[in-house]
Amino acid sequence: MPTTVATTDSVPRSILRRVVIASGLGTLLEYFDYASYSYLATTIAVVFFPPEDRVVALMSTFAVFALSFLVRPLGAFVWGSLGDKIGRKSILATTIILMSGATFLIGFIPSYATIGVAAPILLLLLRVTQSFSASGEYAGAGTFVAEYAPAAKRGLLTSVVPIAAAAGFLVASLMATVLYASTSPEFMQEWGWRIPFLIAGPLGIVGLWLRMRLEDTPQFRRALELEKKQLKTAADQLPATNRWSETRKSLPSMFKALLVMSLNAGAYYLLLSYTPSFLIEEAGMSEATATLVVTIGLVAHIIFIPLAARLSDRIGRKRTLMISSIAFIVLSYPIMTLLSFGGVVLASAVLIVSLMFFAMNDAVFPSFFTELFGTRSRYLGFALPFNVGAMLFGGVAPLIGTWLIATTGNPSSPAFFLMGIGVLSLVGLLMSAETARKALADEQAEVSKAPVATV
């Protein structure tokens, strides 16, 4: 019996608005923290590591950034499995408070000069805690919005998650720009770098309050009712058996999603996290000027995201994502070469063009991922490839960029990384079918049979 449904079209706008705001705030908080760490990397390197060798200290800072991503797949499995079992709302409420708490505590860690090697150890432990909790945040928010959104507008509405992520980067970039421009290096090393992390505490409380006011998604409640009906006519272990069966059936879709995720994760952290350090070290920009360039790029990116998402609602997810992949294969080397020349106008223009093509991936993959899976495996199906991809291609991107330049002496060499992940993403897309404008399915076996929604 088919189990696809399009009942979300009848969700009142007031509820849909609250869903979008509550989902977006947690994502904003998550990416505000990641961006703050990256944009303040040159200061954090001095605070937490021996300052004798600047390159080693900077690479150590990015190594902590990369190591924290190792727990992302574990967190994805834990939160994704629980989200498919007990509901999306409970997990999103838990992850936002854990994530904001760990971020808040980072702001209180003493420096290397004060407590020695204990400083980077504490930094790593809190980054790992933050990363573990954050591993359920993005996928959960995307799933939550998708399961409320009308099918014909799913791309546009789920784009609130990447918009919130970009807004997190933008707020962090603005804050870093203001701090570097208005304070001394001594103040930044003592107190200035702590300010963005301390803000996470109150933001987390507001996000928790917003999420606790919502009901779980109509799609999940429907699947839960179906499971209860099955339980009445079968052994008590049937639902657990069904969940494992759903996971096994979802593995091919997870693999395709992982390949598509390679470009999103790698390009995100190379273009938005690593670019300030790249401009400082390779183009000779000041910290304030480098973060200003990224701030300009982020404003453009936030404008591009809903446009690209709406485009995917019209021409399809696959076609939009493929344009992005091909653009990075062809344009990455010219992009990195032009960025290395420096100059605010040139660097800003190049970054804006890069982010225009990146938005065609970033805006679309949340809806694409949710449409690849049935309700009983959707949270895990989204979370696992998203976080494995973040670990394999995202967390290491700044470290790889720094290492490639140090090894080759070529400031354009990070482009080879971008070109490689562009190829991986294109392969994943060629293996995938179009998913746009279809009703979400409750079971994995029904995903390809989902009816096209009426626009």
Side-chain angles (χ1 to χ4, degrees):
M1 178 175 112
T3 56
T4 52
V5 62
T7 58
T8 51
D9 287 334
S10 61
V11 173
R13 287 190 177 183
S14 59
I15 294 178
L16 203 54
R17 190 181 307 114
R18 284 162 53 192
V19 166
V20 166
I21 293 171
S23 300
L25 183 59
T27 305
L28 187 151
L29 174 61
E30 174 187 352
Y31 282 81
F32 173 75
D33 170 59
Y34 283 139
S36 295
Y37 187 92
S38 297
Y39 295 157
L40 299 170
T42 53
T43 298
I44 290 173
V46 174
V47 173
F48 285 98
F49 298 96
E52 288 79 13
D53 190 321
R54 181 179 177 87
V55 174
V56 171
L58 188 60
M59 288 189 70
S60 298
T61 302
F62 285 133
V64 169
F65 184 83
L67 285 170
S68 68
F69 277 74
L70 292 177
V71 300
R72 294 284 291 258
L74 175 61
F77 183 79
V78 171
W79 301 123
S81 299
L82 288 173
D84 285 328
K85 182 178 181 180
I86 67 175
R88 288 65 162 116
K89 174 186 170 180
S90 300
I91 300 306
L92 285 172
T94 304
T95 55
I96 194 170
I97 202 65
L98 287 175
M99 181 176 62
S100 59
T103 305
F104 183 68
L105 290 175
I106 288 175
F108 290 97
I109 303 175
S111 67
Y112 181 88
T114 303
I115 60 173
V117 72
I121 291 174
L122 286 173
L123 177 64
L124 177 60
L125 288 175
L126 286 174
R127 289 290 300 176
V128 166
T129 302
Q130 193 274 347
S131 194
F132 178 79
S133 56
S135 61
E137 174 60 42
Y138 195 109
T143 300
F144 200 76
V145 175
E147 291 183 348
Y148 265 103
K153 296 182 179 179
R154 193 179 297 126
L156 179 62
L157 290 176
T158 54
S159 72
V160 70
V161 182
I163 288 172
F169 270 83
L170 177 60
V171 173
S173 178
L174 285 169
M175 186 168 290
T177 301
V178 171
L179 286 170
Y180 278 127
S182 62
T183 65
S184 66
E186 293 75 21
F187 177 82
M188 284 298 296
Q189 293 171 22
E190 186 66 27
W191 292 108
W193 72 269
R194 301 178 189 274
I195 294 172
F197 296 96
L198 296 176
I199 290 173
L203 278 179
I205 293 172
V206 172
L208 177 65
W209 176 74
L210 286 171
R211 288 180 174 182
M212 292 303 293
R213 296 176 65 218
L214 295 170
E215 282 189 293
D216 224 319
T217 70
Q219 200 81 24
F220 178 78
R221 283 180 275 139
R222 173 188 167 86
L224 200 61
E225 286 300 316
L226 179 62
E227 212 166 70
K228 288 178 181 177
K229 290 178 182 178
Q230 290 175 325
L231 187 57
K232 290 178 182 178
T233 58
D236 288 351
Q237 63 195 29
L238 177 60
T241 303
N242 277 0
R243 273 190 291 273
W244 172 238
S245 174
E246 282 292 292
T247 301
R248 283 191 288 107
K249 292 175 184 176
S250 301
L251 290 177
S253 291
M254 288 187 195
F255 178 68
K256 297 171 191 175
L258 176 60
L259 292 177
V260 174
M261 186 63 203
S262 65
L263 177 59
N264 184 269
Y268 209 115
Y269 288 100
L270 199 72
L271 292 176
L272 296 177
S273 291
Y274 176 64
T275 293
S277 297
F278 178 85
L279 293 173
I280 292 167
E281 299 296 327
E282 304 303 325
M285 286 188 179
S286 67
E287 285 90 345
T289 305
T291 52
L292 174 62
V293 169
V294 176
T295 300
I296 294 170
L298 281 165
V299 171
H301 187 51
I302 290 173
I303 295 171
F304 291 146
I305 288 174
L307 298 176
R310 191 56 181 154
L311 178 67
S312 79
D313 281 331
R314 294 181 180 277
I315 71 170
R317 319 292 186 222
K318 182 175 178 178
R319 188 178 300 175
T320 308
L321 288 163
M322 287 181 72
I323 293 172
S324 179
S325 298
I326 293 169
F328 274 95
I329 294 170
V330 174
L331 299 176
S332 289
Y333 200 87
I335 284 169
M336 296 308 300
T337 300
L338 290 171
L339 280 177
S340 68
F341 290 162
V344 174
V345 175
L346 177 61
S348 299
V350 172
L351 189 59
I352 287 171
V353 172
S354 307
L355 293 173
M356 178 181 68
F357 287 109
F358 178 65
M360 300 182 80
N361 176 288
D362 196 35
V364 180
F365 89 91
S367 54
F368 179 64
F369 280 20
T370 55
E371 291 161 352
L372 286 175
F373 303 99
T375 303
R376 296 181 178 185
S377 61
R378 185 169 294 122
Y379 201 142
L380 180 62
F382 191 148
L384 206 53
F386 177 80
N387 286 284
V388 171
M391 179 189 72
L392 294 178
F393 307 104
V396 298
L399 185 61
I400 288 176
T402 305
W403 176 81
L404 281 171
I405 293 172
T407 302
T408 65
N410 178 5
S412 302
S413 58
F416 300 129
F417 175 70
L418 288 173
M419 293 163 69
I421 56 179
V423 170
L424 289 178
S425 179
L426 185 60
V427 170
L429 291 167
L430 291 173
M431 297 166 59
S432 303
E434 181 55 67
T435 63
R437 298 181 298 277
K438 291 187 176 182
L440 296 177
D442 285 333
E443 296 182 1
Q444 190 64 28
E446 299 297 331
V447 170
S448 61
K449 306 173 186 177
V452 175
T454 302
V455 180

